[in-house]
Amino acid sequence: MVQNSVAGLRRAFQAVGEPADGKAVLNTTVPGYVLRIEPEQLDLTEFHELVTMGRARLAAGDWAQASELLRRALGLWRGPVLADVSDAGLTWPELAALQGLRLAVHEDCIQAELAMGRDRELIGELESLLEAEPTRERLVAQLMVVLYNCGRQPEALDRYRRTRDLLADRFGLEPGRDLRRLQRAILSHDPALALRLTAAPGGPAEFPSPAGPRPEAAAQQPPRPRPVAAAPARADGRADGRGAGRAGSTGAPAVEHAFRAPWERVERRPASVVMVRARWTADSGTLAPEHVDHAVKELTAGIRREMAPFGGLVRRAFGSVWLVVFGVPRAHEDDAERALRAALALRRHFEEPGPEPGTAAAARPVAHLVVGTGEVVVTYDDSAPEPVEVTGQVLDACQHLLPQVPRGELWAADSVVEAGGAGLGFAPVPGVPGVQRPAPSRPDGRGPAGHPAEPPFLERTHELNLLCGAYRDTVRRQLPHLVTVLGEPGIGKTRLIGEFAASLRDGAGPPAPRVLHAGTPAFDAHTPYEPLAGVVRAYTGIRAGAPAAVVLPALTAVVRGLFPHDATGPIVTALAACLGLPAPAAAAQGPDGGAVPREEVLDALRQFLEEAAADRPLVVVLDDLHRAADFVRSFVEDLTVRLGPVALLLIAGARSELLHTRPSWGCAKRRSVLLHVAPLSTAATATVIGAAAGRRHPTPADDRRAALADGNPLFAQAYARAADVGVDPAAAHPPAVLAVAAAQIDGLDRTARSVLRDAAVVGGTLWRGAVAAVSRRDPEEVGRGLELLESRELLRRVRRSGVPGDVEYVFRYAVSRYVALAQLPGRVLVERHLRAADWAALLDVPRPGLLAFHYDRAIALAEADGTPVETMERRAWEALVGASARAAAAGDDALAVSCLDHALDRCPPGEPERVWLVTHHRRIRDSLGTRDRHSRPAVTG
């Protein structure tokens, strides 16, 4: 009997074994049996790992991360330990210890959330815990603190009284010292009880213990810090020590430092890389080791400074070789361009004069630079914000090419120049195929930017009329207006604004308006005040990066013309600071050595725009405002209500993500309008594709291209230039479209990205229940994630779901699903496809195509990884046979035959059950055919 039970256990282990996780093994050993299982297969191991991480964050004062980690650990519990296998009435010491640990972790989690100020949310949870453990003094103290801070002091004292009585009745004890001290603190209304977080997350912090701090310690508590946005400003517009006001900040979620699950520690992603090799020459011919060490460290610091404006991740590869990665840990649409411009900046840096000859430090580095692009595999640590390892063939290709690069030269692969080198002046390297270098005629690599031909301007008449009406209303009423033009990347916001500006130049009556256009650069901004600084440059005719000797006279002349009767010195100084120039020494005020406060700079900008609009009607276009610093966006949003009666039309072009970071943008503001640019219709998209491809009549491939573009003109043009969109999905999506999709996905928080990837595994059409099964998350959490993805226009909800009782979505863009899937390693995909297949196998109405698809994908990925697939193949056809039985029981013989068709396709010829399967399949088909013949009406002559 024991051997039969062991054999049954082994069959059960084999049936549920997953290649991604390994299998539990029950070995025969003297004098019995040993169950061997990997630690990562136990939820207890994951629980201990999460608890360790959470308590480390708790000790560091990072309350939010501590709460998240500890809540995840507690979420692994589904009741008492081993409740389904332990004998009733038996108490194992190990189980009691685990229950005690669970309660202690719960207390730690509550402590972190108390520090975050979640008092009211915790009352019910604490009372529930105390019903099971009424003498747990730490829980009692936490509940007393919560009740006190919620204004329920009598209930807090009553809880202390009940606990004291219970301890006395059961054990003859008095409450502990900390609990007694807490009672006295409540009676005396000690202000320290209201203290919460006293230091920024991640730094040293003190949180008053549940018993409350001693009065003498409370007097030494530092004040709660202000948010970074409220920190004192410097002259360059950045918050002290944090750079919160840096131009180009999009308000996107910061890089997350939370604990990563094992499958999240490795991901695939496209990246562009710059590989730098430095070689030193010295007057003496040989450098001492300490001089080389000093030179390498200085050069590393210099490379980091040069790469910071472009967002590159600098890694020391080995020796005197550096690797700079773009697109990791977050992708941008212009990573290839960033890499090329960063390489050009590095080349100029190496060309700068070195130390004076004859000095000890006279070691002049000579650089060799290579730029490439391709797919890499990124490995993260548990909580490190940056990857610990980056590997990929592109790194090997750059390393192979690096020794061939002449001294001081820069070579770039054709692929990276094609993706981001338009207008940078690159030309092929003679005799080296597939490689380009900066053309000799443009040694700095800069030239006129090349743009693709403009698509036809279609279906934008309504939006154009709204802009024209806003301008006429501004001039007629002599009042400023703000129109925010919102839309997704490539939808045509800039084109719409450009057509409006052209209509003003051609058809606006006297007085002719002045149109100023300024954009927010994605990287390498000259000043944190962009795009406002661009408006000043456009009005004054000052080019970006001009020296102070050129800027100050031109700026002074323009300001004096606008303010003929006022003292213009302070305004010139403030506007110069806006342009990124240091304040003159004569204007030095305070301990910051001449820094102009941000408020003065913004006030000067307001006066400047008001006087410029008073002279003649003014139209100011601020493009890509979503990239601007938060204080700049606040200034723009409030500008129309702070200006006087002048004819100023302010047009802000921004992506829809502006509303994700500032949901109240424009709400309840006078003379403020939101204009959403909608996708093109299918017919208009086909017209754009035909014009880009030079065809008058669409082809079947053009219809597929229009479906992929889904009304996005930028995507339509890119797909029009694609060779074929019907065969290989990897070849169907052009690099520009892939870059936009990757940047959109990386702009999501970690939970939303995880839900999106699991949704991509389910398919182009997906259901909430399927995503929950694949991710093993709570359905409500998955539902919130899918709703967020719908609001970000990555998914669309289907009005009538194909699965009764579930919510159905579809991917708006096929490229979004392709990019999300490409980020998951193959072994993770195998596991998730098997989970999706398990979900599909349990549907009330079988979907054999969906079930077969997931098993086929899992088997193909496992075979590519070298994993045995016999067990998965058997699971596949057995699941289809089970689905056929359910369909037959429901009276749907046609569906039952379809399930058996898929099962036969996946049941190998040598399988013993195949004979039965063929017979069963023929019997149902014959039954279905007989029923059809009997129900068919007789044919009369």
Side-chain angles (χ1 to χ4, degrees), residues 612-825:
D615 179 48
R616 58 192 274 198
L618 184 64
V619 177
V620 176
V621 177
L622 304 176
D623 211 355
D624 293 321
L625 189 65
H626 59 279
R627 296 174 178 163
D630 190 65
F631 75 90
V632 171
R633 297 199 294 259
S634 298
F635 173 79
V636 172
E637 185 181 16
D638 297 335
L639 185 59
T640 55
V641 298
R642 299 186 61 191
L643 289 175
V646 293
L648 170 63
L649 176 61
L650 193 61
I651 301 178
R655 295 184 180 175
S656 302
E657 63 194 63
L658 176 66
L659 297 184
H660 304 151
T661 56
R662 298 178 69 97
S664 61
W665 177 269
C667 294
K669 299 288 185 182
R670 291 180 297 167
R671 303 183 294 278
S672 180
V673 177
L674 291 179
L675 177 59
H676 291 266
V677 182
L680 299 176
S681 66
T682 303
T685 306
T687 302
V688 172
I689 291 173
R695 290 188 294 270
R696 293 186 177 181
H697 302 289
T699 66
D702 287 344
D703 295 337
R704 292 194 295 269
R705 292 183 174 95
L708 291 171
D710 195 33
N712 188 304
L714 174 66
F715 287 9
Q717 285 190 295
Y719 283 118
R721 295 188 290 271
D724 190 3
V725 297
V727 182
D728 183 12
H733 305 300
V737 178
L738 290 170
V740 171
Q744 281 185 307
I745 292 174
D746 280 355
L748 303 170
D749 61 68
R750 181 179 297 172
T751 301
R753 285 200 305 272
S754 178
V755 172
L756 181 69
R757 289 168 178 169
D758 293 331
V761 171
V762 176
T765 301
L766 55 118
W767 297 266
R768 183 177 63 182
V771 178
V774 169
S775 62
R776 293 184 177 173
R777 295 176 182 268
D778 181 71
E780 292 186 1
E781 181 184 3
V782 170
R784 291 191 296 268
L786 294 174
E787 290 173 359
L788 173 64
L789 296 174
E790 182 186 14
S791 71
R792 298 295 180 92
E793 299 181 345
L794 292 169
L795 300 178
R796 282 178 177 164
R797 186 180 304 190
V798 178
R799 188 168 65 88
R800 292 184 177 177
S801 175
V803 175
D806 209 337
V807 184
E808 182 176 328
Y809 294 86
V810 295
F811 273 87
R812 182 183 171 189
Y813 293 118
V815 66
S816 301
R817 178 172 178 254
Y818 173 80
V819 171
L821 280 176
Q823 293 179 350
L824 292 172

Side-chain angles (χ1 to χ4, degrees), residues 235-604:
D236 59 2
R238 290 178 293 182
D240 284 349
R242 294 185 181 267
R246 182 176 61 83
S249 173
T250 64
V255 177
E256 300 159 9
H257 299 253
F259 167 77
R260 288 180 170 88
W263 68 268
E264 291 179 306
R265 298 174 191 170
V266 180
E267 65 179 8
R268 297 163 49 189
R269 56 172 55 244
S272 297
V273 300
V274 178
M275 192 169 286
V276 188
R277 180 186 180 190
R279 304 177 70 179
W280 278 270
T281 61
D283 297 336
S284 60
T286 304
L287 288 175
E290 57 270 20
H291 291 164
V292 174
D293 176 70
H294 176 74
V296 168
K297 290 177 179 177
E298 282 201 342
L299 190 54
T300 301
I303 291 175
R304 292 186 185 278
R305 285 194 304 270
E306 292 292 333
M307 295 299 98
F310 304 97
L313 176 65
V314 181
R315 306 291 298 271
R316 266 285 296 284
F318 54 87
S320 300
V321 176
W322 288 260
L323 177 67
V324 188
V325 187
F326 297 85
V328 176
R330 180 178 178 182
H332 304 87
E333 301 162 26
D334 49 9
D335 282 321
E337 182 184 356
R338 289 171 183 250
L340 289 171
R341 291 193 180 275
L344 292 168
L346 271 180
R347 191 182 68 159
R348 291 192 295 271
H349 174 74
F350 280 99
E351 290 173 352
E352 293 177 357
E356 292 294 331
T359 63
R364 296 182 296 276
V366 177
H368 311 253
L369 297 101
V370 174
V371 188
T373 188
E375 194 173 66
V376 298
V377 175
V378 185
T379 304
Y380 295 92
D381 202 349
D382 287 348
S383 59
E386 295 181 354
V388 296
E389 188 177 5
V390 180
T391 59
Q393 189 175 3
V394 61
L395 305 186
D396 298 334
C398 290
Q399 187 176 357
H400 174 75
L401 194 61
L402 197 58
Q404 305 177 47
V405 180
R407 293 163 51 101
E409 288 259 351
L410 162 63
W411 286 6
D414 285 345
S415 56
V416 71
V417 175
E418 181 182 355
L424 293 182
F426 278 79
V429 177
V432 185
V435 178
Q436 300 187 40
R437 65 183 179 188
S441 58
R442 297 194 189 109
D444 60 349
R446 296 183 183 273
H451 297 282
E454 290 281 6
F457 189 66
L458 303 171
E459 298 185 343
R460 297 288 185 249
T461 304
H462 174 67
E463 292 87 347
L464 188 59
N465 289 337
L466 288 176
L467 291 175
C468 293
Y471 172 74
R472 289 192 296 267
D473 197 40
T474 297
V475 175
R476 179 178 59 85
R477 299 175 60 191
Q478 289 291 297
L479 288 174
H481 285 71
L482 168 64
V483 179
T484 306
V485 181
L486 294 172
E488 62 186 21
I491 202 67
K493 304 180 295 297
T494 302
R495 177 70 185 280
L496 171 64
I497 296 172
E499 293 291 334
F500 166 67
S503 70
L504 289 181
R505 289 192 296 268
D506 298 338
R514 185 194 301 269
V515 181
L516 305 179
H517 189 284
T520 309
F523 57 88
D524 198 18
H526 290 86
T527 166
Y529 290 92
E530 300 288 358
L532 301 176
V535 175
V536 177
R537 287 194 291 264
Y539 189 91
T540 58
I542 299 172
R543 66 176 179 84
V550 175
V551 173
L552 290 177
L555 192 60
T556 302
V558 171
V559 171
R560 285 178 178 174
L562 292 176
F563 301 87
H565 306 295
D566 298 333
T568 58
I571 296 180
V572 171
T573 299
L575 293 180
C578 173
L579 296 178
L581 298 180
Q589 301 174 0
D592 48 2
V596 181
R598 179 185 297 169
E599 291 76 12
E600 293 184 13
V601 174
L602 297 179
D603 188 62

